[in-house]
Amino acid sequence: MAGQGDCCVKVAVRIRPQLSKEKIEGCHICTSVTPGEPQVLLGKDKAFTYDFVFDLDTWQEQIYSTCVSKLIEGCFEGYNATVLAYGQTGAGKTYTMGTGFDMATSEEEQGIIPRAIAHLFGGIAERKRRAQEQGMAGPEFKVSAQFLELYNEEILDLFDSTRDPDARHRRSNIKIHEDANGGIYTTGVTSRLIHSQEELIQCLKQGALSRTTASTQMNVQSSRSHAIFTIHLCQMRMCTQPDLVNEAVTGLPDGTPPSNEYETLTAKFHFVDLAGSERLKRTGATGERAKEGISINCGLLALGNVISALGDQSKKVVHVPYRDSKLTRLLQDSLGGNSQTIMIACVSPSDRDFMETLNTLKYANRARNIKNKVVVNQDKTSQQISALRAEIARLQMELMEYKAGKRVIGEDGAEGYSDLFRENAMLQKENAALRLRVKAMQEAIDAINNRVTQLMSQEANLLLAKAGDGNEAIGALIQNYIREIEELRTKLLESEAMNESLRRSLSRASARSPYSLGASPAAPAFGGSPASSMEDASEVIRRAKQDLERLKKKEVRQRRKSPEKEAFKKRAKLQQENSEETDENEAEEEEEERDESGCEGEEG
Amino acid sequence: MANVPWAEVCEKFQAALTLSRVELQKNPEKEPYKSKYSARALLEEVKALLGPAPEDEDERPEAEDGPGAGDHALGLPAEVVEPEGPVAQRAVRLAVIEFHLGVNHIDTEELSAGEEHLVKCLRLLRRYRLSHDCISLYIQAQNNLGILWSEREEIETAQAYLESSEALYTQYMKEVGCPPLDPTERFLPEEEKLTEQERSKRFEKVYTHNLYYLAQVYQHLEMFEKAAHYCHSTLKRQLEHNAYHPIEWAINAATLSQFYINKLCFMEARHCLSAANVIFGQTGKISATEDTPEAEGEVPELYHQRKGEIARCWIKYCLTLMQNAQLSMQDNIGELDLDKQSELRALRKKELDEEESIRKKAVQFGTGELCDAISAVEEKVSYLRPLDFEEARELFLLGQHYVFEAKEFFQIDGYVTDHIEVVQDHSALFKVLAFFETDMERRCKMHKRRIAMLEPLTVDLNPQYYLLVNRQIQFEIAHAYYDMMDLKVAIADRLRDPDSHIVKKINNLNKSALKYYQLFLDSLRDPNKVFPEHIGEDVLRPAMLAKFRVARLYGKIITADPKKELENLATSLEHYKFIVDYCEKHPEAAQEIEVELELSKEMVSLLPTKMERFRTKMALT
């Protein structure tokens, strides 16, 4: 059916055979058709390509079936169609269109219009018969016809026989009206209701006759006027095929039950005989010669055309008032949209008509470019595109995160970070805490070593001062204690550092929002090591106490032997105080730990 | 000479002229040139009576036949030589006859013979061509040769003749200036000779035609700017010599403005349009005095139609000027670029300084009162690109004024297509005004206005007959909804906590945009409601864009229901996939939508994983 995409005008070129007169006068053929291509070569170097090209020997039937037949079929589905004929007189236009009405015309020589009419009525009969066979109510058809002539932007009704001859000179009151619902229609035009093929042909003949006489009376060369023969086809049929329902025309919603539902389809078929380019120069207006169609218009009346043509070259965003507006308007709903338009350009092959043929071919070539395009504004897409680009980048990022396993969908359906990721984060935290501790320990060790060295030297001095005193056992013991004290001191410093770092992380954690991931892994980091260090400490204390006991006994034993014991006792006491202090610290630490875990609990 | 009855010569010549002016349609059908042939016979007789051409032909420095003659004439040291003495007089008379014979032959499609006569005419007159006796005839002969060569499609030759005519006119007016004799006077009795005024009028008309032919020659040579310049000059001369029909003239000037608009010559365009307004305004006065009862019924219709057409030309002026400003001030995402704006502001001063020199170069219509009247119209409109909202608003209001004026004639009932075009322009005016508006809420309202004027149109239009128009409107409405949605999203982003109300609004706009894109896409379906395998070239890009935007819109629907969101994602994916698949099957489509295709491909690869996650998420809940 009517292809949606090809709403442009299709162009066919027909080259008529040479007349015997031309042959006798020795005219040469100056056209040639490229075999297998719709291309005409005029002379040696002027090539034109069209949709169809019919060479000298093409039969009428072939032209009809190739170009026009499917347009009539389209009419039965409610699509408008237009056949435009163009070409110089004597190029076979009348023969091709079949409006000559010679008595002697045989069936195979019939032109497009008689064939189309026969096809139309044949189609009507066929559809009625088919419906009858299927036992359904047949479709109703109403055919009517109009025949108009357009001359100098004035419309004449060729069917209006009642008009008195004087009135012809006056402007007609025919108006072209464009309606939102039905497209173009004309008011004040006689529309004949047609019942048969013969009647329609008769009407056409009558109109053609009326055209000639009207032209003579108006002193108009017929080639300067356009003739438009229009067949309206109105069809009422049952909606048996909902897929073919044309909602537009019927206004019925899709899928209505087939019973008793009628749809109305209307279609227009225009046959347009376009004013040709030839002999236009002969119809000069007085004073100035009005040559048209050739390179230079002589009459200033055509200045408007010249100016409008200036705009054609550039982008068409502007408004160019139409010149040939009536014809354009009449055919407006048939050019573009769902309708199909074919232009048949008729040319003569003889070299005598070279210029006319060239002009016709050029004109036809221009017609091919008539295209109704959907004009959509495309600006601002850049904004949307940049927005989409950003979205894509975001998606890609997310995708990468998933691929790396960072993000998962949690059990509760909420998108979140995977356990693995959490664990990783925890371990990393712990690692950091340990690193911190190592650093603190290192510092403690350094401090202790300093102290040890100091003490050692003190002790050495002391020992040296008491030189000669042979109490080796006590010396060794003291040395041991000193070492142990140092160890404890180290531990204490370590714990203090630990404590400090914990305090810091706690304050950081509470500053953050409760579900911040940072806080939770921090707590377990202290779970292992501080506890074990605490055990270590109590073990040391326990041993220290034991040793102390032992020492006390020894002291009792040795009190009488040496006065230095007093000094030692003091020192041991000091040590005990120290270890008690450590205990307190540990307790504090524990308390903080509980706070931390409390936070974690809230989070969970 | 003396023995030739002068009266007889004159009589025959006048008869020939009358015959050649007979309207061709009055000839019998089989002999369309009968009157021309009779005229020719008479002219030949006159020529015989006048005797052979003067001997001084030998004096010619060289053969000057053919196309070179025109060029050559320019090169000669031209001085004014009056044809004095009987020999010269006879030569001039013969030249007149040759000229008429030449024109006669051209009229009867005998180009070669016509050319011969005209060249002979030029040859006879060459020495005296700048004289007040011969200049007009010489120019006319050259003009006709120009036409002749243009018919042979040798435009350059035609151009040479016509340019030579133009140069001769300029030289004559500079050196002599008095109104020259009209060629027809040569064979008129003394008492019937023309007045100075009539002579001047005829001569000026010859020159006007000369310019007009040059305009066409330049057009054929695709020198459109020159062609426009000559059209412009022709219009100017029509005004100067009062040889114009106001409506026709006004519409021509308005049409010319459209050429200038395309060339972004807004000052010239404004001048043409202002002149069109002023001259069109004369129509009322003239028809009031000239009482033509018969015309009463229909002249108003044409009058109103033309008025509407001129208004539409004005609309395009405002629209293009604003759009041009937008183009020069927008950044890569179509928003106002402040740097560019201030750059243009700085440039503005320079533009204003140059104004005078540009104005001097341009062809100005009218003198005195008329000129003042035109300037008065011009002053109300800027020809400079609007740089801010205030300036844009001025243009917008003017454009809107003409929209209302155009709509008065182009009503929906009767002029559907034209009416819709006007409404679309109105919508476009709002759209470009929105670019200049900084307040997002107000911008939103402008788009809303656009939708409000476009939406009712689609309801009434028969989708079959107005398929293309419908598609355009659907696309535009969809786009306007999309724009509104984007704006609302931006507004919501700025809010601290967007409430459900604005979310609902965004979704509604999304839905409406989707609806109209879908309507557009549905219009591509064939009668059996099947989407075509192959999309026509003319709708390919729009169709793909619509698909792309539909895909995007589905992805942008805000919903709390994961099931719905998954559905939307799936639909979005489907549309992106369509684009990618289609371009795979029809590689020619890919180049039409390069960027969109690239993005669609990305989305097709990304969306399934996103959806997979969604599914997992949903399975867990």
Side-chain angles (χ1 to χ4, degrees), chain B residues 139-174:
Chain B
I139 288 177
Q140 285 187 49
Q142 288 204 108
N143 285 355
N144 272 286
L145 276 167
I147 292 167
L148 185 143
W149 281 102
S150 81
E151 273 181 49
R152 288 177 174 164
E153 302 215 13
E154 290 195 27
I155 302 293
E156 282 86 359
T157 313
Q159 183 192 1
Y161 276 116
L162 292 169
E163 281 177 351
S164 157
S165 287
E166 191 194 10
L168 268 181
Y169 172 86
T170 322
Q171 197 185 353
Y172 177 83
M173 290 314 272
K174 211 163 80 190

mmCIF file of all heavy atoms in Angstrom, chain B residues 139-174:
data_model
loop_
_atom_site.group_PDB
_atom_site.id
_atom_site.type_symbol
_atom_site.label_atom_id
_atom_site.label_comp_id
_atom_site.label_asym_id
_atom_site.label_seq_id
_atom_site.Cartn_x
_atom_site.Cartn_y
_atom_site.Cartn_z
ATOM 1 N N ILE B 139 20.895 50.291 -25.756
ATOM 2 C CA ILE B 139 20.724 49.474 -24.550
ATOM 3 C C ILE B 139 19.651 48.401 -24.763
ATOM 4 O O ILE B 139 19.825 47.235 -24.393
ATOM 5 C CB ILE B 139 20.374 50.374 -23.341
ATOM 6 C CG1 ILE B 139 21.611 51.178 -22.931
ATOM 7 C CG2 ILE B 139 19.863 49.547 -22.162
ATOM 8 C CD1 ILE B 139 21.380 52.148 -21.797
ATOM 9 N N GLN B 140 18.581 48.798 -25.411
ATOM 10 C CA GLN B 140 17.511 47.815 -25.649
ATOM 11 C C GLN B 140 17.981 46.671 -26.529
ATOM 12 O O GLN B 140 17.636 45.520 -26.310
ATOM 13 C CB GLN B 140 16.306 48.510 -26.287
ATOM 14 C CG GLN B 140 15.535 49.344 -25.298
ATOM 15 C CD GLN B 140 14.251 49.887 -25.894
ATOM 16 O OE1 GLN B 140 13.484 49.144 -26.495
ATOM 17 N NE2 GLN B 140 14.027 51.166 -25.732
ATOM 18 N N ALA B 141 18.763 47.019 -27.539
ATOM 19 C CA ALA B 141 19.280 45.977 -28.429
ATOM 20 C C ALA B 141 20.183 45.024 -27.651
ATOM 21 O O ALA B 141 20.084 43.796 -27.785
ATOM 22 C CB ALA B 141 20.033 46.607 -29.587
ATOM 23 N N GLN B 142 21.013 45.612 -26.811
ATOM 24 C CA GLN B 142 21.911 44.754 -26.014
ATOM 25 C C GLN B 142 21.115 43.886 -25.044
ATOM 26 O O GLN B 142 21.427 42.710 -24.856
ATOM 27 C CB GLN B 142 22.893 45.628 -25.225
ATOM 28 C CG GLN B 142 23.928 46.269 -26.108
ATOM 29 C CD GLN B 142 25.183 46.621 -25.313
ATOM 30 O OE1 GLN B 142 26.212 45.984 -25.456
ATOM 31 N NE2 GLN B 142 25.088 47.619 -24.480
ATOM 32 N N ASN B 143 20.093 44.464 -24.426
ATOM 33 C CA ASN B 143 19.261 43.685 -23.507
ATOM 34 C C ASN B 143 18.620 42.504 -24.218
ATOM 35 O O ASN B 143 18.582 41.389 -23.697
ATOM 36 C CB ASN B 143 18.160 44.556 -22.912
ATOM 37 C CG ASN B 143 18.692 45.507 -21.865
ATOM 38 O OD1 ASN B 143 19.873 45.447 -21.514
ATOM 39 N ND2 ASN B 143 17.838 46.384 -21.379
ATOM 40 N N ASN B 144 18.137 42.766 -25.441
ATOM 41 C CA ASN B 144 17.503 41.673 -26.175
ATOM 42 C C ASN B 144 18.498 40.603 -26.562
ATOM 43 O O ASN B 144 18.163 39.418 -26.568
ATOM 44 C CB ASN B 144 16.770 42.214 -27.397
ATOM 45 C CG ASN B 144 15.352 42.614 -27.054
ATOM 46 O OD1 ASN B 144 14.493 41.759 -26.860
ATOM 47 N ND2 ASN B 144 15.117 43.912 -26.904
ATOM 48 N N LEU B 145 19.708 41.029 -26.861
ATOM 49 C CA LEU B 145 20.739 40.026 -27.141
ATOM 50 C C LEU B 145 21.031 39.218 -25.875
ATOM 51 O O LEU B 145 21.286 38.017 -25.949
ATOM 52 C CB LEU B 145 22.008 40.704 -27.649
ATOM 53 C CG LEU B 145 22.001 40.993 -29.154
ATOM 54 C CD1 LEU B 145 23.137 41.937 -29.533
ATOM 55 C CD2 LEU B 145 22.118 39.691 -29.958
ATOM 56 N N GLY B 146 20.964 39.903 -24.760
ATOM 57 C CA GLY B 146 21.163 39.194 -23.485
ATOM 58 C C GLY B 146 20.119 38.108 -23.300
ATOM 59 O O GLY B 146 20.438 36.962 -22.955
ATOM 60 N N ILE B 147 18.873 38.464 -23.558
ATOM 61 C CA ILE B 147 17.791 37.487 -23.426
ATOM 62 C C ILE B 147 18.012 36.332 -24.393
ATOM 63 O O ILE B 147 17.866 35.152 -24.047
ATOM 64 C CB ILE B 147 16.434 38.163 -23.682
ATOM 65 C CG1 ILE B 147 16.140 39.143 -22.553
ATOM 66 C CG2 ILE B 147 15.327 37.137 -23.807
ATOM 67 C CD1 ILE B 147 15.009 40.086 -22.853
ATOM 68 N N LEU B 148 18.388 36.708 -25.631
ATOM 69 C CA LEU B 148 18.597 35.696 -26.665
ATOM 70 C C LEU B 148 19.660 34.690 -26.236
ATOM 71 O O LEU B 148 19.474 33.480 -26.350
ATOM 72 C CB LEU B 148 19.017 36.424 -27.945
ATOM 73 C CG LEU B 148 19.187 35.620 -29.224
ATOM 74 C CD1 LEU B 148 18.686 36.472 -30.382
ATOM 75 C CD2 LEU B 148 20.626 35.233 -29.481
ATOM 76 N N TRP B 149 20.764 35.207 -25.724
ATOM 77 C CA TRP B 149 21.836 34.279 -25.338
ATOM 78 C C TRP B 149 21.450 33.466 -24.107
ATOM 79 O O TRP B 149 21.900 32.339 -23.942
ATOM 80 C CB TRP B 149 23.142 35.032 -25.119
ATOM 81 C CG TRP B 149 23.793 35.339 -26.424
ATOM 82 C CD1 TRP B 149 23.790 36.530 -27.079
ATOM 83 C CD2 TRP B 149 24.473 34.413 -27.268
ATOM 84 N NE1 TRP B 149 24.438 36.418 -28.278
ATOM 85 C CE2 TRP B 149 24.871 35.137 -28.431
ATOM 86 C CE3 TRP B 149 24.802 33.057 -27.185
ATOM 87 C CZ2 TRP B 149 25.574 34.539 -29.482
ATOM 88 C CZ3 TRP B 149 25.508 32.474 -28.222
ATOM 89 C CH2 TRP B 149 25.874 33.193 -29.361
ATOM 90 N N SER B 150 20.633 34.043 -23.259
ATOM 91 C CA SER B 150 20.211 33.260 -22.096
ATOM 92 C C SER B 150 19.327 32.107 -22.540
ATOM 93 O O SER B 150 19.343 31.036 -21.954
ATOM 94 C CB SER B 150 19.479 34.143 -21.094
ATOM 95 O OG SER B 150 18.141 34.321 -21.479
ATOM 96 N N GLU B 151 18.583 32.328 -23.622
ATOM 97 C CA GLU B 151 17.751 31.233 -24.125
ATOM 98 C C GLU B 151 18.602 30.130 -24.730
ATOM 99 O O GLU B 151 18.206 28.977 -24.759
ATOM 100 C CB GLU B 151 16.756 31.761 -25.155
ATOM 101 C CG GLU B 151 15.495 32.264 -24.481
ATOM 102 C CD GLU B 151 14.481 32.779 -25.465
ATOM 103 O OE1 GLU B 151 14.194 32.074 -26.440
ATOM 104 O OE2 GLU B 151 13.974 33.891 -25.240
ATOM 105 N N ARG B 152 19.748 30.504 -25.200
ATOM 106 C CA ARG B 152 20.678 29.489 -25.719
ATOM 107 C C ARG B 152 21.502 28.885 -24.592
ATOM 108 O O ARG B 152 22.455 28.151 -24.846
ATOM 109 C CB ARG B 152 21.620 30.133 -26.737
ATOM 110 C CG ARG B 152 20.943 30.470 -28.045
ATOM 111 C CD ARG B 152 21.930 31.164 -28.940
ATOM 112 N NE ARG B 152 21.351 31.374 -30.276
ATOM 113 C CZ ARG B 152 21.865 32.218 -31.157
ATOM 114 N NH1 ARG B 152 22.957 32.907 -30.859
ATOM 115 N NH2 ARG B 152 21.309 32.357 -32.337
ATOM 116 N N GLU B 153 21.155 29.281 -23.393
ATOM 117 C CA GLU B 153 21.851 28.805 -22.197
ATOM 118 C C GLU B 153 23.327 29.166 -22.189
ATOM 119 O O GLU B 153 24.153 28.426 -21.669
ATOM 120 C CB GLU B 153 21.678 27.284 -22.026
ATOM 121 C CG GLU B 153 20.211 26.933 -21.936
ATOM 122 C CD GLU B 153 19.950 25.778 -21.006
ATOM 123 O OE1 GLU B 153 20.856 25.393 -20.248
ATOM 124 O OE2 GLU B 153 18.838 25.268 -21.032
ATOM 125 N N GLU B 154 23.629 30.279 -22.815
ATOM 126 C CA GLU B 154 25.004 30.759 -22.685
ATOM 127 C C GLU B 154 24.936 32.022 -21.848
ATOM 128 O O GLU B 154 24.960 33.146 -22.337
ATOM 129 C CB GLU B 154 25.610 31.014 -24.063
ATOM 130 C CG GLU B 154 25.854 29.707 -24.784
ATOM 131 C CD GLU B 154 26.772 29.858 -25.979
ATOM 132 O OE1 GLU B 154 27.605 30.779 -26.007
ATOM 133 O OE2 GLU B 154 26.622 29.033 -26.898
ATOM 134 N N ILE B 155 24.842 31.777 -20.555
ATOM 135 C CA ILE B 155 24.550 32.864 -19.638
ATOM 136 C C ILE B 155 25.680 33.884 -19.600
ATOM 137 O O ILE B 155 25.447 35.080 -19.479
ATOM 138 C CB ILE B 155 24.289 32.297 -18.223
ATOM 139 C CG1 ILE B 155 23.129 31.293 -18.257
ATOM 140 C CG2 ILE B 155 23.980 33.393 -17.236
ATOM 141 C CD1 ILE B 155 21.795 31.892 -18.577
ATOM 142 N N GLU B 156 26.912 33.417 -19.742
ATOM 143 C CA GLU B 156 28.026 34.366 -19.661
ATOM 144 C C GLU B 156 27.944 35.412 -20.769
ATOM 145 O O GLU B 156 28.256 36.585 -20.553
ATOM 146 C CB GLU B 156 29.377 33.633 -19.728
ATOM 147 C CG GLU B 156 29.774 32.963 -18.428
ATOM 148 C CD GLU B 156 29.178 31.574 -18.293
ATOM 149 O OE1 GLU B 156 28.433 31.161 -19.213
ATOM 150 O OE2 GLU B 156 29.445 30.903 -17.269
ATOM 151 N N THR B 157 27.546 34.957 -21.968
ATOM 152 C CA THR B 157 27.419 35.908 -23.069
ATOM 153 C C THR B 157 26.317 36.912 -22.762
ATOM 154 O O THR B 157 26.468 38.124 -22.956
ATOM 155 C CB THR B 157 27.073 35.148 -24.368
ATOM 156 O OG1 THR B 157 27.942 34.032 -24.467
ATOM 157 C CG2 THR B 157 27.252 36.039 -25.574
ATOM 158 N N ALA B 158 25.210 36.381 -22.255
ATOM 159 C CA ALA B 158 24.102 37.253 -21.889
ATOM 160 C C ALA B 158 24.568 38.262 -20.850
ATOM 161 O O ALA B 158 24.267 39.450 -20.931
ATOM 162 C CB ALA B 158 22.956 36.410 -21.332
ATOM 163 N N GLN B 159 25.324 37.754 -19.894
ATOM 164 C CA GLN B 159 25.835 38.614 -18.819
ATOM 165 C C GLN B 159 26.675 39.760 -19.395
ATOM 166 O O GLN B 159 26.527 40.918 -18.990
ATOM 167 C CB GLN B 159 26.678 37.754 -17.879
ATOM 168 C CG GLN B 159 27.213 38.493 -16.680
ATOM 169 C CD GLN B 159 28.276 37.669 -15.955
ATOM 170 O OE1 GLN B 159 28.612 36.564 -16.372
ATOM 171 N NE2 GLN B 159 28.799 38.216 -14.887
ATOM 172 N N ALA B 160 27.520 39.435 -20.383
ATOM 173 C CA ALA B 160 28.391 40.454 -20.964
ATOM 174 C C ALA B 160 27.554 41.574 -21.589
ATOM 175 O O ALA B 160 27.826 42.757 -21.375
ATOM 176 C CB ALA B 160 29.300 39.821 -22.003
ATOM 177 N N TYR B 161 26.529 41.193 -22.356
ATOM 178 C CA TYR B 161 25.683 42.205 -22.996
ATOM 179 C C TYR B 161 24.973 43.069 -21.954
ATOM 180 O O TYR B 161 24.906 44.285 -22.061
ATOM 181 C CB TYR B 161 24.635 41.536 -23.885
ATOM 182 C CG TYR B 161 25.170 41.198 -25.261
ATOM 183 C CD1 TYR B 161 25.278 39.880 -25.689
ATOM 184 C CD2 TYR B 161 25.559 42.216 -26.143
ATOM 185 C CE1 TYR B 161 25.760 39.561 -26.945
ATOM 186 C CE2 TYR B 161 26.046 41.910 -27.416
ATOM 187 C CZ TYR B 161 26.150 40.590 -27.808
ATOM 188 O OH TYR B 161 26.635 40.302 -29.050
ATOM 189 N N LEU B 162 24.439 42.400 -20.946
ATOM 190 C CA LEU B 162 23.633 43.128 -19.963
ATOM 191 C C LEU B 162 24.509 44.027 -19.100
ATOM 192 O O LEU B 162 24.117 45.149 -18.769
ATOM 193 C CB LEU B 162 22.842 42.143 -19.100
ATOM 194 C CG LEU B 162 21.747 41.384 -19.860
ATOM 195 C CD1 LEU B 162 21.184 40.255 -19.020
ATOM 196 C CD2 LEU B 162 20.635 42.321 -20.289
ATOM 197 N N GLU B 163 25.689 43.549 -18.774
ATOM 198 C CA GLU B 163 26.580 44.390 -17.965
ATOM 199 C C GLU B 163 27.039 45.597 -18.765
ATOM 200 O O GLU B 163 27.210 46.697 -18.221
ATOM 201 C CB GLU B 163 27.779 43.567 -17.472
ATOM 202 C CG GLU B 163 27.401 42.702 -16.284
ATOM 203 C CD GLU B 163 28.531 41.808 -15.807
ATOM 204 O OE1 GLU B 163 29.565 41.719 -16.493
ATOM 205 O OE2 GLU B 163 28.349 41.187 -14.735
ATOM 206 N N SER B 164 27.224 45.377 -20.069
ATOM 207 C CA SER B 164 27.603 46.491 -20.936
ATOM 208 C C SER B 164 26.493 47.541 -20.938
ATOM 209 O O SER B 164 26.757 48.742 -20.876
ATOM 210 C CB SER B 164 27.861 45.960 -22.339
ATOM 211 O OG SER B 164 27.708 46.965 -23.285
ATOM 212 N N SER B 165 25.255 47.085 -21.006
ATOM 213 C CA SER B 165 24.116 48.008 -20.954
ATOM 214 C C SER B 165 24.149 48.832 -19.685
ATOM 215 O O SER B 165 23.964 50.048 -19.707
ATOM 216 C CB SER B 165 22.803 47.231 -21.000
ATOM 217 O OG SER B 165 22.581 46.719 -22.275
ATOM 218 N N GLU B 166 24.380 48.139 -18.581
ATOM 219 C CA GLU B 166 24.381 48.823 -17.290
ATOM 220 C C GLU B 166 25.465 49.905 -17.253
ATOM 221 O O GLU B 166 25.225 51.044 -16.818
ATOM 222 C CB GLU B 166 24.615 47.800 -16.173
ATOM 223 C CG GLU B 166 24.368 48.372 -14.799
ATOM 224 C CD GLU B 166 24.906 47.496 -13.679
ATOM 225 O OE1 GLU B 166 25.645 46.530 -13.966
ATOM 226 O OE2 GLU B 166 24.576 47.780 -12.523
ATOM 227 N N ALA B 167 26.639 49.538 -17.763
ATOM 228 C CA ALA B 167 27.747 50.483 -17.747
ATOM 229 C C ALA B 167 27.439 51.700 -18.624
ATOM 230 O O ALA B 167 27.727 52.840 -18.255
ATOM 231 C CB ALA B 167 29.014 49.785 -18.231
ATOM 232 N N LEU B 168 26.818 51.424 -19.778
ATOM 233 C CA LEU B 168 26.482 52.520 -20.688
ATOM 234 C C LEU B 168 25.498 53.485 -20.038
ATOM 235 O O LEU B 168 25.631 54.703 -20.142
ATOM 236 C CB LEU B 168 25.861 51.962 -21.966
ATOM 237 C CG LEU B 168 26.809 51.664 -23.112
ATOM 238 C CD1 LEU B 168 26.020 51.142 -24.297
ATOM 239 C CD2 LEU B 168 27.593 52.913 -23.504
ATOM 240 N N TYR B 169 24.523 52.906 -19.356
ATOM 241 C CA TYR B 169 23.525 53.748 -18.691
ATOM 242 C C TYR B 169 24.210 54.660 -17.678
ATOM 243 O O TYR B 169 23.992 55.873 -17.661
ATOM 244 C CB TYR B 169 22.474 52.887 -17.995
ATOM 245 C CG TYR B 169 21.526 53.696 -17.132
ATOM 246 C CD1 TYR B 169 20.392 54.291 -17.679
ATOM 247 C CD2 TYR B 169 21.776 53.892 -15.779
ATOM 248 C CE1 TYR B 169 19.537 55.055 -16.905
ATOM 249 C CE2 TYR B 169 20.924 54.653 -14.986
ATOM 250 C CZ TYR B 169 19.804 55.227 -15.559
ATOM 251 O OH TYR B 169 18.960 55.979 -14.790
ATOM 252 N N THR B 170 25.082 54.064 -16.884
ATOM 253 C CA THR B 170 25.758 54.841 -15.845
ATOM 254 C C THR B 170 26.576 55.967 -16.477
ATOM 255 O O THR B 170 26.532 57.113 -16.022
ATOM 256 C CB THR B 170 26.686 53.925 -15.031
ATOM 257 O OG1 THR B 170 26.051 52.670 -14.858
ATOM 258 C CG2 THR B 170 27.009 54.518 -13.689
ATOM 259 N N GLN B 171 27.283 55.593 -17.554
ATOM 260 C CA GLN B 171 28.126 56.598 -18.201
ATOM 261 C C GLN B 171 27.288 57.720 -18.807
ATOM 262 O O GLN B 171 27.618 58.893 -18.664
ATOM 263 C CB GLN B 171 28.963 55.910 -19.292
ATOM 264 C CG GLN B 171 30.135 56.756 -19.740
ATOM 265 C CD GLN B 171 30.888 56.120 -20.890
ATOM 266 O OE1 GLN B 171 30.616 54.979 -21.274
ATOM 267 N NE2 GLN B 171 31.835 56.862 -21.446
ATOM 268 N N TYR B 172 26.217 57.334 -19.449
ATOM 269 C CA TYR B 172 25.355 58.334 -20.089
ATOM 270 C C TYR B 172 24.792 59.293 -19.044
ATOM 271 O O TYR B 172 24.809 60.513 -19.216
ATOM 272 C CB TYR B 172 24.221 57.650 -20.849
ATOM 273 C CG TYR B 172 23.256 58.642 -21.476
ATOM 274 C CD1 TYR B 172 23.562 59.233 -22.716
ATOM 275 C CD2 TYR B 172 22.082 59.011 -20.837
ATOM 276 C CE1 TYR B 172 22.707 60.160 -23.291
ATOM 277 C CE2 TYR B 172 21.230 59.935 -21.409
ATOM 278 C CZ TYR B 172 21.540 60.508 -22.643
ATOM 279 O OH TYR B 172 20.695 61.428 -23.183
ATOM 280 N N MET B 173 24.305 58.745 -17.957
ATOM 281 C CA MET B 173 23.697 59.582 -16.939
ATOM 282 C C MET B 173 24.737 60.530 -16.326
ATOM 283 O O MET B 173 24.396 61.633 -15.920
ATOM 284 C CB MET B 173 23.066 58.727 -15.828
ATOM 285 C CG MET B 173 21.822 57.967 -16.257
ATOM 286 S SD MET B 173 20.655 58.946 -17.183
ATOM 287 C CE MET B 173 19.690 59.625 -15.834
ATOM 288 N N LYS B 174 25.974 60.081 -16.306
ATOM 289 C CA LYS B 174 27.018 60.924 -15.733
ATOM 290 C C LYS B 174 27.412 62.027 -16.714
ATOM 291 O O LYS B 174 27.567 63.187 -16.347
ATOM 292 C CB LYS B 174 28.242 60.051 -15.412
ATOM 293 C CG LYS B 174 29.026 60.576 -14.217
ATOM 294 C CD LYS B 174 29.954 59.522 -13.652
ATOM 295 C CE LYS B 174 31.228 59.438 -14.489
ATOM 296 N NZ LYS B 174 32.053 58.281 -14.133
#
